[in-house]
Every structure is written in C-alpha cells, then in structure tokens.
Amino acid sequence: MNPEFVILESIQKAHGDIETRPISLHEPDFRGTKAWEYVKETIDTSWVSTAGSFVERFEESVRKITGAKHAIAVSNGTVALRLALHLVDVRAQDEVIVPPLSFVATANAVSHLGAIPHFVDIDNETLGMSCMALIKRMDEIAIRKNGSVFNKETGRRISAIVPVHIFGNPADIYGLKKIADSWNLPIVEDAAEALGSSLGGKHCGLIGDVGVLSFNGNKLVTTGGGGMIMTNSDSLASSARHLSTTAKLAHSWEIQHDQIGWNDRMPNINAALGLAQLECLNDKIIKKKQLFSQYAHAFAEYDFVELVATKTGFNSNHWLITIRLLEKDLDLLAAIRYRLLKTSHQSGLLLRPAWKLLSDLPMYSSNPKAELSTALDQVQRLINLPSSPQLIQ
Ligand SMILES: *Cc1c(COP(=O)(O)O)cnc(C)c1O
C-alpha cells in the first residue's frame, strides 16, 4: 500500500471515529469553561480594555502555572518577542541568532527593532537550535571587543540568542544557555508554542533572561490573540510593564511619558477568555498526552515514518504532534510528501508541512547564516498532524 494511505489510516485509527470534517491542526475549544461568563462580565462592567481585573487574574494564573516571578500580558506573541528583545538591549543593526525552523514571527520580531536575524542550524532530535551548531558558528564568526560580541564578517554587534521550543518540544535550553553565558549574551526564549512544557523542573521560557508565550487562535490556550512576557528579573519586568503601556508615569491626572513606549497591553476581554481556558489547562494537557500516545501506537509498526518524540527527560505539551518521513531518496520523499498532503486535504484531514525555512523566505534569503543542513533536511520530512485536545472525546 502507498505510504500516504498507511499514514492517513493510522491517523484515523489514532482518532477513532470522528465524522466532523475538516479537522485542522489545532482548534480552540471553550466547552466546559467559564469563557462566556467571564467575557460577559467584562461587557456588563464595561471593563473591556487594557485595564481590568481579568488581566491581573490571567497574569497571576500564568505565574502559578509556570512558576514565573513576573508575567506581563500583551496583545500577541510577536509584540511580546519584540518587547523582550528590546528589554535585553537588542538595537537596530545588531545581529540576533535565531533558528531557521520557526514561525515567521521569531525573525520578524528581530526585524521590527531594525536588527538582523542570523540563522544557526537546528538539532535533529529536539528540532530546536543545536548546541553544536551554535558553538561552531560562534567560533567561526564571533569576536569579543569592548565587552560586546561582534560578527567579524559583517562588523555588526551580536546582541542576543533566541531559541524556539518548536511545536511545544523543549529545545536543549540549558546547553544553549551555557553557550550564551560563555559569550555573555542574553537569551530570549520563544516559548510561544510551549505553555505547559518544561525541562529540568523549570517551565520553558524561564531558563533564559526573558521568555514569551503566545495565545493566538491556534495555540493550546487562546485569548483570541495575545501574548505574555515572562521573567524572573524584577527590573526587566518593570521595564516591560512600563514600555508596554506607552511609558506613562503613574499620576492621578497628569499625562506624562518618559520614553518612547508601545501600546502593547492585552485587553481585559481577551484576558477573560484566556483565564477561562487556563482553568482547564491540565485537562487539555492530559488529553494531548493521550493523543500523542495513540498516534505513537498507530505509527509504531512502520519503518518509513516515525512520530517526532520528545527527548528523554524533556516534558512537551505536544502542541503540534508531528511525523517525520524517513525516505532517504529525496525525489521519492518529495513525491510521498506531496501525495500525502494532497490526499489528506481531499479527505478533510488538514495535515500541514512544517513552515518553509525562514532563511529561504524572500526577506531573509540574504541574511547571515551558518551551514543549515539539518534544517534543510528536516523541513522536507516534517508533517504536523491534527493535534487538538478535543480529538480525545
Ligand atoms: C505563534 C508563534 C509566535 C507569535 O505569536 P502571535 O501571537 O501569533 O503573534 C511566535 N513564535 C512562534 C514559534 C509561534 O509559534
């Protein structure tokens, strides 16, 4: 039988009988939550905008769940990343090290500050930034001068490293942190996809200097659109609050600003939606684990495909469960991939390949980059499966 049919059959076997089509990768679900009650309260009290008790309760809940000392809710994950990069002093014309396999926002947030994404390869197993590749690249191009690090090929300052926890699977963040420390570079963790993921007893996003979450519509928990800055640093947290609220000085009537700030705060109505779902986060994660193990079971017997597993000791929220096609012949691989995606869309199972590599997008194609062979190979093989927790009935 053709690989694509075996894969589609295995997916259906893992789900059991689900008639509703189409099934997309990740869909929000508010059943069994207090979402309506909370949102209604924001409307009834007319506290719908960027001040209001749900924002505080939502932040408090994220602090409890993640163990973060500070959590600052903002309007989406992209602005959270941009603000986080600004907080660690990324400036225009700096270079920031990012992995090529990520959602476009990782690189865009760097560019929004006028800085330049510099791509370093990923690890085969975690799909996050590779420690080996980072060490090698820094040795190749980085020099220290006057307490900063520079790319000796471009002359630009290198000012931060942004590991991404891809599909909710933790990157080897302790290893990456060690390398960053050896160069005295800050880490901003893109944990947009990783609410509920952890390693070494710490939640993703809290090993580096600042971490960000996203609450976009397709994430594990959604506020409609939203993001969060997490940090254990008091000073970074208070800067984040200040800069995300137009850098306005507290005063009963005077309207005074002391820096160029942003209007980044999350509205109360969105936080109400988010809080209602955080109350069910455990349940969602339990269902995700079960879905992952049902997929693992369904794919176990085939040698041409495998489920992307979480590294031993790492704890994933399984945001997007992913298969890896193992065909060695690249032409055959491309043919299987094409037929699989086409057949799946015809049958209403909306499988999706991983993103195109950021380093291949037109706006980033001439950016500085290391050798990216693992990312180039993996991006041809990775296919995301429908992963909504509600697929477990
Ligand atoms: C979703 C996502 C973001 C951006 O979040 P938005 O809330 O959509 O702006 C950033 N990085 C990664 C890896 C993401 O998946």
Side-chain angles (χ1 to χ4, degrees), residues 76-79 81 102-103 105-106 164-166 190 192-193 213-216 218-219 226-227 319 355:
N76 59 60
T78 310
V79 307
L81 270 173
S102 184
F103 180 55
T106 311
V164 184
H165 303 288
I166 293 292
D190 184 341
E193 306 174 354
L213 300 173
S214 163
F215 300 103
N216 189 37
N218 63 351
K219 297 293 184 343
W319 172 57
W355 313 277

Side-chain angles (χ1 to χ4, degrees), residues 152-208:
K152 64 187 174 206
E153 289 177 358
T154 62
R156 291 188 286 244
R157 189 172 82 113
I158 297 172
S159 55
I161 300 174
V162 185
V164 184
H165 303 288
I166 293 292
F167 307 141
N169 291 332
D172 189 357
I173 188 71
Y174 291 101
L176 295 166
K177 170 93 166 80
K178 238 189 227 160
I179 303 161
D181 285 348
S182 76
W183 289 93
N184 206 16
L185 286 173
I187 283 195
V188 169
E189 275 179 81
D190 184 341
E193 306 174 354
L195 177 65
S197 303
S198 60
L199 68 171
K202 283 197 184 179
H203 195 279
C204 286
L206 293 172
I207 294 106

Side-chain angles (χ1 to χ4, degrees), residues 46-277:
S46 77
W47 283 92
V48 292
S49 195
T50 53
S53 64
F54 282 107
V55 176
E56 279 155 38
R57 287 168 69 188
F58 184 56
E59 290 176 342
E60 172 63 29
S61 177
V62 166
R63 284 197 293 273
K64 270 217 184 95
I65 287 164
T66 61
K69 187 165 180 204
H70 302 282
I72 298 104
V74 293
S75 52
N76 59 60
T78 310
V79 307
L81 270 173
R82 185 258 290 136
L83 184 54
L85 289 162
H86 177 79
L87 291 174
V88 301
D89 196 29
V90 170
R91 300 175 222 151
Q93 292 307 313
D94 286 352
E95 288 180 15
V96 173
I97 310 276
V98 303
L101 183 73
S102 184
F103 180 55
V104 69
T106 311
N108 284 352
V110 171
S111 307
H112 292 160
L113 290 172
I116 293 132
H118 179 143
F119 300 104
V120 166
D121 207 2
I122 60 166
D123 174 80
N124 208 7
E125 201 180 352
T126 64
L127 302 179
M129 195 184 286
S130 152
C131 291
M132 296 279 285
L134 180 60
I135 291 174
K136 184 157 167 269
R137 185 59 173 171
M138 292 302 284
D139 284 346
E140 260 166 31
I141 56 132
I143 45 162
R144 293 165 218 266
K145 215 167 53 188
N146 309 327
S148 291
V149 182
F150 289 84
N151 178 343
K152 64 187 174 206
E153 289 177 358
T154 62
R156 291 188 286 244
R157 189 172 82 113
I158 297 172
S159 55
I161 300 174
V162 185
V164 184
H165 303 288
I166 293 292
F167 307 141
N169 291 332
D172 189 357
I173 188 71
Y174 291 101
L176 295 166
K177 170 93 166 80
K178 238 189 227 160
I179 303 161
D181 285 348
S182 76
W183 289 93
N184 206 16
L185 286 173
I187 283 195
V188 169
E189 275 179 81
D190 184 341
E193 306 174 354
L195 177 65
S197 303
S198 60
L199 68 171
K202 283 197 184 179
H203 195 279
C204 286
L206 293 172
I207 294 106
D209 299 75
V210 192
V212 313
L213 300 173
S214 163
F215 300 103
N216 189 37
N218 63 351
K219 297 293 184 343
L220 182 56
V221 161
T222 184
T223 53
M228 189 74 74
I229 303 232
M230 301 191 295
T231 181
N232 290 326
S233 153
D234 298 341
S235 64
L236 292 183
S238 77
S239 293
R241 272 189 199 285
H242 189 56
L243 289 169
S244 61
T245 43
T246 67
K248 183 181 178 298
L249 300 177
H251 193 284
S252 298
W253 58 86
E254 295 293 354
I255 303 167
Q256 167 83 338
H257 310 259
D258 64 349
Q259 290 178 69
I260 301 174
W262 285 282
N263 177 16
D264 279 348
R265 294 311 304 279
M266 177 184 285
N268 204 40
I269 191 167
N270 298 85
L273 265 184
L275 179 68
Q277 281 177 89

